[in-house]
Amino acid sequence: MEIKRAAILGFCFGVRRAVELAEKALDENKGKEVFSLGPLIHNEAALKKLSDKGLQIIEENLLSELPESSVVIIRAHGVAPQIIDLLEKKNSIIIDATCPRVKASQKMVEKYTCQNDYVILTGDKNHGEVKGIAGYAGKNFSLVENIADVESLDIAEPEKINVILLSQTTYSQRQFDEIEKSLKAKFPNIAVMNTICPATKERQNSLLELCAQVEGVIVIGGKNSANTIRLFQTAKNNCKNAVHIQSASEIPEEFRKLKSVGITAGASTPDEIIGEVEQSLS
């Protein structure tokens, strides 16, 4: 069997940084309780490894139960400023692992809405990053998930204010392009700032190249990882054999009979899991 890796796959900069900060916090705070606000990354194996070292998970809606003076890691998705306020009232030791690109989006939303510009953000309303960015917005802000949201969007006298379009960093480029086109028809003077992380597009482009070279593609990543799910959708649309797995134990038997198999992985997939899948195939 010929096994090919996508040119770009696995941990993105933001996720790798968050994991490294978490491991450092665990090493430097032995004897203290160390929490992450929600799952640090969308990968069960990586979370199990961190849990074994002592990392606990606490959800934002349970912060009232957080012990005083705990070590708290803000994951790459970031959080709303109100959450930071709650942590400070608990005298928490805050380790901010917010991805720099997400941090930049937070600052832009805060700046533009505070100067009475109108910001439209494309993204998934239930995604942690989107919730965090929205927390920085003033009153002139709308979240758009699809074309139907664009059609129902109503901005008073848009010709008198600056309308600005931003995006969730892991959003689908295709969906963003469709929404951008629809918004431009409604607000011709809209300023578009494509804040999709280049790593997202690079992984998609690398996968498309891979699909043309192999009989089957294995996409490795958490079942709840948005960017991994989008990679799998692309693989299904461009290769006759495609599967989404979380570990080597889930490789379908039929893939072991193919002459060539391609491997890609979501931004939350550790290098060691990618290596285990490759080793199992070979």
Side-chain angles (χ1 to χ4, degrees), residues 86-135:
L86 287 173
L87 292 175
E88 289 176 345
K89 288 176 182 176
K90 286 277 189 175
N91 297 312
S92 303
I93 301 169
I94 302 171
I95 297 173
D96 191 355
T98 304
C99 172
R101 290 188 176 276
V102 175
K103 183 80 76 175
S105 293
Q106 293 173 346
K107 290 179 179 178
M108 279 190 279
V109 167
E110 184 176 39
K111 172 187 171 183
Y112 293 135
T113 55
C114 285
Q115 65 188 27
N116 291 323
D117 294 332
Y118 199 103
V119 174
I120 299 171
L121 177 70
T122 62
D124 175 1
K125 66 181 180 182
N126 295 315
H127 195 280
E129 176 191 333
V130 172
K131 291 178 180 178
I133 292 173

Side-chain angles (χ1 to χ4, degrees), residues 9 30 74-75 83 101 117 133 135 141-142 158 164 181 191 200 203 212 215 220 222 231 243 255 260:
L9 76 172
K30 295 188 185 299
I74 296 172
R75 56 187 179 168
I83 300 299
R101 290 188 176 276
D117 294 332
I133 292 173
F141 175 83
S142 290
I164 300 162
K181 182 179 179 181
T200 300
R203 276 167 179 71
E215 292 181 346
I220 314 166
L231 283 172
V243 64
F255 270 73
S260 59

Side-chain angles (χ1 to χ4, degrees), residues 245-273:
I245 67 172
Q246 296 187 100
S247 66
S249 64
E250 298 176 3
I251 299 173
E253 279 305 309
E254 58 265 28
F255 270 73
R256 300 186 184 279
K257 301 173 185 177
L258 300 177
K259 293 181 179 179
S260 59
V261 174
I263 295 174
T264 189
S268 296
T269 306
D271 299 339
E272 62 193 74
I273 293 179

Side-chain angles (χ1 to χ4, degrees), residues 9-183:
L9 76 172
F11 273 176
C12 66
F13 166 76
V15 171
R16 189 178 299 278
R17 175 174 171 269
V19 171
E20 288 173 351
L21 285 172
E23 290 176 340
K24 182 180 179 183
L26 289 164
D27 289 339
E28 294 179 351
N29 292 278
K30 295 188 185 299
K32 293 183 181 179
E33 291 193 276
V34 182
F35 296 86
S36 70
L37 276 181
L40 191 73
I41 61 175
H42 292 143
N43 185 280
E44 289 185 10
L47 287 176
K48 174 69 165 56
K49 183 178 178 182
L50 290 168
S51 175
D52 289 344
K53 289 184 176 182
L55 184 66
Q56 303 177 62
I57 297 172
I58 187 165
E59 299 297 341
E60 292 179 13
N61 62 342
L62 296 176
L63 283 182
S64 60
E65 301 174 14
L66 181 73
E68 288 278 331
S69 304
S70 299
V71 178
V72 181
I73 304 164
I74 296 172
R75 56 187 179 168
H77 294 327
V79 293
Q82 299 92 319
I83 300 299
I84 301 292
D85 292 341
L86 287 173
L87 292 175
E88 289 176 345
K89 288 176 182 176
K90 286 277 189 175
N91 297 312
S92 303
I93 301 169
I94 302 171
I95 297 173
D96 191 355
T98 304
C99 172
R101 290 188 176 276
V102 175
K103 183 80 76 175
S105 293
Q106 293 173 346
K107 290 179 179 178
M108 279 190 279
V109 167
E110 184 176 39
K111 172 187 171 183
Y112 293 135
T113 55
C114 285
Q115 65 188 27
N116 291 323
D117 294 332
Y118 199 103
V119 174
I120 299 171
L121 177 70
T122 62
D124 175 1
K125 66 181 180 182
N126 295 315
H127 195 280
E129 176 191 333
V130 172
K131 291 178 180 178
I133 292 173
Y136 284 84
K139 62 179 181 178
N140 291 339
F141 175 83
S142 290
L143 173 63
V144 168
E145 289 189 290
N146 48 48
I147 299 299
D149 287 344
V150 174
E151 292 171 355
S152 62
L153 188 60
D154 184 26
I155 300 176
E157 300 182 299
E159 68 283 353
K160 293 184 180 180
I161 60 173
N162 296 319
V163 181
I164 300 162
L165 175 64
L166 304 176
S167 177
Q168 175 184 333
T169 60
T170 56
Y171 204 57
S172 160
Q173 184 66 53
R174 178 187 59 78
Q175 287 178 281
F176 181 82
D177 291 341
E178 290 174 356
I179 289 172
E180 177 188 346
K181 182 179 179 181
S182 182
L183 282 168

Side-chain angles (χ1 to χ4, degrees), residues 207-223:
L207 172 58
L208 287 172
E209 292 176 8
L210 184 68
C211 286
Q213 302 170 21
V214 295
E215 292 181 346
V217 171
I218 294 176
V219 181
I220 314 166
K223 297 297 183 181

